[in-house]
Amino acid sequence: MSITIWNQPPPPPRQRALGRPEIVAAAIAVADESGAAGLTMKGVAARLGAYTPMALYRYVHSKDGLVDLMLDAAAAQVPVPARPGPDWRADLERIANDTHAMIGRHGWYAELVHTRPPAGPHQMRRLEFMLAVLVGQGAGVADAMTWTALIDRHVFGASRQEAEESHAEQRAGLTDPRQQHAAFAEIRDLVVGYGDLPHLTEWLAAPTGPDPQAQFALGLRYLLDGIAADLRYRVRSTA
């Protein structure tokens, strides 16, 4: 039995208003509202109306199959150019930023993307474009795949951390700047009590730093700087 839906038999003909696109759209809506943990076949069926979970299985085979389809539908929201442009860094920055924005709309993506092989057609086209960008700069396919994986780890990891921190702030009621300041003051008092953490004590006295979006951009820049340095070294070593 195939481990992804992409090698499974095609879905049966539509029945009334039920088909694979409607099921995937309903599942995405459920996950957008309730997160990955709230995604159930029963919940998706209820979202669609007078259907049972068994009716959905005829079109998606399993919950894993549904997740395959959801991940690829979300990846389709990331624009992929037909071919690399003249600026390889701009190409990769655009893909990374557009993916980061997509996950901002669908926080469950960063949690579920590692649970299934990224074998959907839109996921593969996105990956192929990133590989083409790097191979076009002189990288071998194996190195290009490694660098692409590093970029995606940054995108997915940062996106998931941002989502978790946002949820934690909401659960703790720290949505107001005054509440956040009070929370920092409480942590500062704890640190001062430990007595041997001078740098943390100094920072917590006046906490500053870039916001999550700026941190994401900074991390991406460092990654691309490292790739650029490696590409320059390879060019010199083969000259």
Side-chain angles (χ1 to χ4, degrees):
M1 183 176 179
S2 173
I3 61 172
T4 75
I5 200 169
W6 311 110
N7 290 325
Q8 298 278 6
R14 299 173 61 88
Q15 289 188 349
R16 294 178 288 168
L18 184 65
R20 186 173 277 184
E22 289 77 19
I23 295 172
V24 173
I28 288 174
V30 169
D32 285 348
E33 292 178 1
S34 304
L39 178 66
T40 65
M41 299 301 286
K42 182 178 179 180
V44 176
R47 183 95 185 189
L48 287 163
Y51 296 101
T52 66
M54 289 307 298
L56 276 55
Y57 285 118
R58 298 180 65 243
Y59 294 90
V60 302
H61 300 288
S62 66
K63 184 178 178 182
D64 283 341
L66 179 58
V67 171
D68 283 332
L69 294 164
M70 292 169 62
L71 290 170
D72 201 59
Q77 298 176 18
V78 179
V80 177
R83 60 188 60 84
D87 186 337
W88 69 271
R89 288 186 64 129
D91 280 341
L92 295 179
E93 285 175 352
R94 189 173 303 111
I95 284 284
N97 285 321
D98 287 344
T99 304
H100 186 233
M102 178 273 287
I103 300 174
R105 299 188 296 271
H106 306 297
W108 49 268
Y109 187 97
E111 186 173 348
L112 294 178
V113 70
H114 301 296
T115 69
R116 308 293 303 145
H122 293 100
Q123 293 169 296
M124 289 293 193
R125 290 189 189 103
R126 175 185 173 279
L127 175 58
E128 175 65 21
F129 175 78
M130 296 174 74
L131 293 174
V133 168
L134 291 165
V135 170
Q137 296 302 308
V141 174
D143 285 331
M145 182 66 81
T146 297
W147 295 340
T148 297
L150 289 173
I151 292 170
D152 275 349
R153 284 193 178 97
H154 173 60
V155 174
F156 300 152
S159 298
R160 184 165 184 184
Q161 181 173 350
E162 290 166 19
E164 292 294 337
E165 288 178 350
S166 176
H167 293 156
E169 289 175 355
Q170 292 174 7
R171 288 194 301 269
L174 299 178
T175 55
D176 183 275
R178 290 171 298 180
Q179 296 169 323
Q180 294 171 357
H181 180 77
F184 269 115
E186 182 178 347
I187 295 172
R188 183 186 65 239
D189 291 343
L190 283 173
V191 170
V192 170
Y194 295 143
D196 57 352
L197 304 172
H199 299 98
L200 271 175
T201 300
E202 178 182 345
W203 184 81
L204 286 166
T208 58
D211 62 24
Q213 185 63 44
Q215 290 184 38
F216 175 81
L218 184 64
L220 180 60
R221 192 185 83 199
Y222 288 161
L223 270 172
L224 296 180
D225 284 348
I227 292 171
D230 210 339
L231 286 170
R232 288 193 297 270
Y233 172 78
R234 289 163 191 269
V235 169
R236 289 196 302 269
S237 64
T238 58

